[in-house]
Amino acid sequence: MQIDKFTDYALRVLMTLAVRAPQRIPTSEIATTFGLSENHLSKVATRLAHEGFVLSERGRGGGLTLAHPADQIVIGAVVRAMKRDDPVVECFGANTSCLVLPACGLRDPLAEAQEAFFATLDRYTLTDVTRSHHALKAMLDA
């Protein structure tokens, strides 16, 4: 299973918010920190807000904050929400036109592998992946 850039950026945003909590952080600041497009990161932030992981406040003094304590944000749930429209293989999505689909023996092993991937991520919270809180904070405050 591969994490796409959109999901990677979502995890970076959440980690930043976790180590800098309870500060409200502008998307532009996070984009600058990671050298990312502010426009693209705004789309990530919008999705994170829509999925209920962050709160977004517009205007002067606005920015992002975590919608829940970091120990209640499960990494597997974040990855599922961000990759919702991105199946591991075509036949897990809407495309069922594969010639060998009716006799394919790969679907079950791939589905099992995908579930194992998410099951592993489900064991970790945002708190777990930001255990090096002080080191991360020093890097992200630069």
Side-chain angles (χ1 to χ4, degrees), residues 4-14 27 30 36-51 53-54 64 78 82:
D4 59 7
K5 287 182 181 181
F6 195 83
T7 305
D8 176 27
Y9 297 166
L11 293 169
R12 292 187 205 190
V13 167
L14 292 173
T27 304
I30 299 170
L36 303 172
S37 158
E38 185 177 341
N39 184 45
H40 190 63
L41 205 63
S42 291
K43 292 176 185 175
V44 171
T46 298
R47 181 79 155 287
L48 284 168
H50 177 75
E51 296 293 336
F53 296 110
V54 302
L64 303 173
V78 174
M82 296 299 112

Side-chain angles (χ1 to χ4, degrees), residues 26-103:
T27 304
S28 59
E29 187 176 322
I30 299 170
T32 299
T33 298
F34 288 106
L36 303 172
S37 158
E38 185 177 341
N39 184 45
H40 190 63
L41 205 63
S42 291
K43 292 176 185 175
V44 171
T46 298
R47 181 79 155 287
L48 284 168
H50 177 75
E51 296 293 336
F53 296 110
V54 302
L55 300 174
S56 178
E57 200 167 308
R58 294 182 178 264
R60 188 179 194 110
L64 303 173
T65 55
L66 293 177
H68 308 282
D71 64 349
Q72 293 177 15
I73 298 176
V74 176
I75 300 302
V78 174
V79 174
R80 276 186 189 89
M82 296 299 112
K83 292 187 64 63
R84 169 177 63 211
D85 301 325
D86 189 19
V88 175
V89 289
E90 278 184 8
C91 60
F92 284 8
N95 184 353
T96 57
S97 63
C98 178
L99 176 68
V100 298
L101 185 61

